[in-house]
Amino acid sequence: MRAVDIIQKKRDGKELTREEISFLVQGYTRGEIPDYQLSAWAMAVYFQGMSARETGDLTLEMAESGDVVDLSPIAGIKVDKHSTGGVGDKTTIVLAPLVAAAGVPVAKMSGRGLGHTGGTIDKLEAISGFTVELSRKQFFRQVNEVGAAVIGQSGNITPADKKLYGLRDVTATVESIPLIASSVMSKKIAAGADAIVLDVKTGSGAFMKTLDDSIELAKAMVDIGSHVGRHTVAVISDMDQPLGYNIGNSLEIKEAIDTLRGQGPKDLEEVSLILASHMLVLGGKAGDEQEAREILEKLISSGAALEKLKDMVAAQNGNPEQIMNPDLLPSAARTVEVRTVQAGYVESIQAENIGVAAMLLGAGRETKESVIDLAVGIELRKKVGEAVESGDLLAVLHVNEVDPTRLGEAEKKVLEAYSITPQAVPAQPLIYALVT
Ligand code: URA
């Protein structure tokens, strides 16, 4: 077999066999096929697409390119959740204890900073002492005993995806639905889940800007799930503004705690309840979403969900007192107010600008080497649809040592993120679709 013939076949719009896909992926991972040939193939896929069968085969080849975690030492149906990423998305921190409190084991591997803001693992590190590194044995034991563990990705998971994603990033081939779908699903499959709930974000702050593209991506991922025997459902949720009010690591932990107390922002609560309901149904703990929702609401109102977060934090060496008293979490030295001079209604909040502003304050990484300041971030005070008067507070920046130029830039980004219109803005849907 020769890579050039496979590239040509894809270039001409033909379907590749499993053997051909395997030859490319495994050869590339071992360093036998050069970057330039994989780049040409990725561009051919970008233009020609891939059938559902090819996408499924590519996913399995990437999943099997490294370690595949065997979660069988953990009792029960393991349901994983994945978000395609958005600003202010702290749902994993709400979902892990909430779903575990309902009896679905959560054995979750999460990532560090995605784009401008910290990832789930960075956020959890705002809790003093919290360790995101557990051995496989400790990980399994904790999930069996406590019900939930959230750790960083360890071992050699999907090296083919890591290498190919790096290549796509510099060859303008990221935005290909079969390539994105196989990249996401290969990691979920290698992480060992029996079933998967996907939160596909749509809107200005999302990877997929239009609803049609988001649905197409969701369908591709759900199809892969059925191809590989992992029941997968996808919820399409709004990312035309950040989720919740808080952006920044410690601030997001505080908001997740508020949500587990039943006092969180409505949008975060709703997205969390919907995703958690699907996890309960897939995990066999509820017959349908309605029943699941009733169970989850009771776990929040009884305090059991918050208690579960406390137990998970304690098991991972974190300080459980910070969960019961979030004022003990890291907080910034000072705050800076961002006010509007316009009057009207908030039409949209460009999530990406808010993410960049948070990064400028130190909440996210500018380069791989950047060190995150866990205490800093942004607290939005107005969300889409709300009325504002000239001089009203739009957001509060939580600031430590920061270069005045960067602070000025962050303030400007936040102001620019807000679009204010004279007309009242109709309520936006939070959930657009469900793909099963
Ligand atoms: N996230 C991933 O994990 N892979 C992609 O290709 C795009 C986003």
Side-chain angles (χ1 to χ4, degrees):
M1 220 179 271
R2 294 190 318 155
V4 63
D5 299 326
I6 304 173
I7 298 165
Q8 185 178 355
K9 192 171 170 187
K10 186 39 68 187
R11 183 201 67 189
D12 295 343
K14 302 202 178 93
E15 197 177 11
L16 302 182
T17 64
R18 171 78 185 248
E19 290 67 35
E20 287 164 335
I21 291 171
S22 174
F23 177 82
L24 278 187
V25 172
Q26 306 311 341
Y28 182 56
T29 312
R30 289 194 296 265
E32 292 160 11
I33 297 178
D35 279 352
Y36 55 79
Q37 286 191 304
L38 252 286
S39 309
W41 170 80
M43 191 57 87
V45 171
Y46 178 90
F47 284 113
Q48 296 290 1
M50 287 204 294
S51 68
R53 204 266 310 140
E54 284 176 295
T55 311
D57 287 349
L58 173 61
T59 308
L60 280 179
E61 287 298 330
M62 293 205 293
E64 289 161 9
S65 66
D67 300 345
V68 176
V69 182
D70 173 11
L71 294 180
S72 61
I74 299 171
I77 304 171
K78 277 72 69 181
V79 187
D80 203 352
K81 167 256 165 190
H82 178 84
S83 159
T84 58
V87 176
D89 186 355
K90 66 282 284 176
T91 51
T92 294
I93 299 153
V94 179
L95 290 172
L98 178 56
V99 168
V104 177
V106 179
K108 182 134 188 65
M109 290 191 197
S110 282
R112 290 205 177 268
L114 284 171
H116 316 297
T117 55
T120 298
I121 288 302
D122 299 306
K123 292 170 196 176
L124 285 166
E125 282 182 343
I127 302 164
S128 347
F130 192 94
T131 175
V132 298
E133 283 166 28
L134 298 182
S135 69
R136 284 281 146 80
K137 220 168 135 193
Q138 290 170 316
F139 182 48
F140 295 162
R141 189 182 331 120
Q142 182 177 321
V143 181
N144 276 327
E145 287 173 5
V146 179
V150 182
I151 60 168
Q153 243 168 42
S154 61
N156 184 29
I157 304 260
T158 57
D161 173 62
K162 209 176 266 174
K163 210 169 160 192
L164 181 56
Y165 190 75
L167 189 68
R168 287 166 54 212
D169 212 17
V170 292
T171 55
T173 49
V174 167
E175 296 88 349
S176 151
I177 286 180
L179 294 182
I180 298 172
S182 54
S183 166
V184 169
M185 291 297 283
S186 65
K187 289 182 280 241
K188 295 289 109 185
I189 291 161
D194 299 315
I196 301 155
V197 174
L198 299 166
D199 181 9
V200 178
K201 301 287 188 193
T202 192
S204 64
F207 212 62
M208 293 284 132
K209 310 282 180 213
T210 70
L211 184 56
D212 285 350
D213 281 351
S214 309
I215 291 179
E216 204 186 320
L217 175 63
K219 282 190 173 143
M221 294 195 284
V222 169
D223 278 352
I224 294 171
S226 18
H227 183 82
V228 301
R230 318 280 171 115
H231 197 160
T232 303
V233 302
V235 171
I236 315 278
S237 73
D238 177 61
M239 194 32 76
D240 254 337
Q241 62 176 334
L243 189 60
Y245 287 86
N246 289 5
I247 297 97
N249 302 283
S250 182
L251 288 166
E252 294 196 38
I253 295 283
K254 288 182 186 163
E255 199 164 58
I257 293 171
D258 287 346
T259 306
L260 286 167
R261 282 204 170 112
Q263 293 159 3
K266 283 289 148 235
D267 58 349
L268 174 61
E269 179 183 86
E270 186 58 19
V271 171
S272 301
L273 282 172
I274 286 178
L275 295 172
S277 298
H278 288 292
M279 291 175 82
L280 255 57
V281 173
L282 292 184
K285 296 293 175 190
D288 58 29
E289 286 162 60
Q290 187 50 40
E291 189 194 338
R293 201 177 169 107
E294 284 163 21
I295 296 171
L296 295 164
E297 282 172 347
K298 276 194 199 125
L299 291 167
I300 291 177
S301 59
S302 69
L306 185 66
E307 195 66 26
K308 189 59 80 181
L309 177 64
K310 193 179 108 198
D311 293 346
M312 183 184 100
V313 164
Q316 290 185 239
N317 293 326
N319 179 1
E321 278 178 42
Q322 289 176 317
I323 305 305
M324 301 330 258
N325 181 5
D327 288 343
L328 299 175
L329 285 161
S331 55
R334 65 189 175 103
T335 53
V336 174
E337 294 181 344
V338 179
R339 292 182 181 272
T340 178
V341 289
Q342 283 175 279
Y345 298 85
V346 179
E347 187 178 29
S348 63
I349 308 172
Q350 271 279 345
E352 223 163 294
N353 273 354
I354 300 288
V356 173
M359 185 269 290
L360 288 166
L361 300 178
R365 290 183 185 83
E366 194 158 18
T367 68
K368 265 197 253 170
E369 288 71 36
S370 308
V371 176
I372 286 187
D373 183 337
L374 296 164
V376 303
I378 299 169
E379 205 186 317
L380 304 178
R381 289 296 176 87
K382 296 284 179 196
K383 298 263 317 228
V384 171
E386 287 188 62
V388 290
E389 299 292 336
S390 174
D392 270 2
L393 193 55
L394 292 180
V396 175
L397 313 185
H398 291 246
V399 180
N400 277 333
E401 271 306 302
V402 62
D403 174 89
T405 320
R406 281 174 84 89
L407 176 58
E409 255 182 82
E411 288 179 64
K412 190 159 164 266
K413 284 269 174 216
V414 171
L415 260 184
E416 281 171 4
Y418 275 85
S419 150
I420 293 170
T421 163
Q423 299 87 28
V425 175
Q428 283 186 335
L430 184 59
I431 305 293
Y432 285 92
L434 175 68
V435 178
T436 58

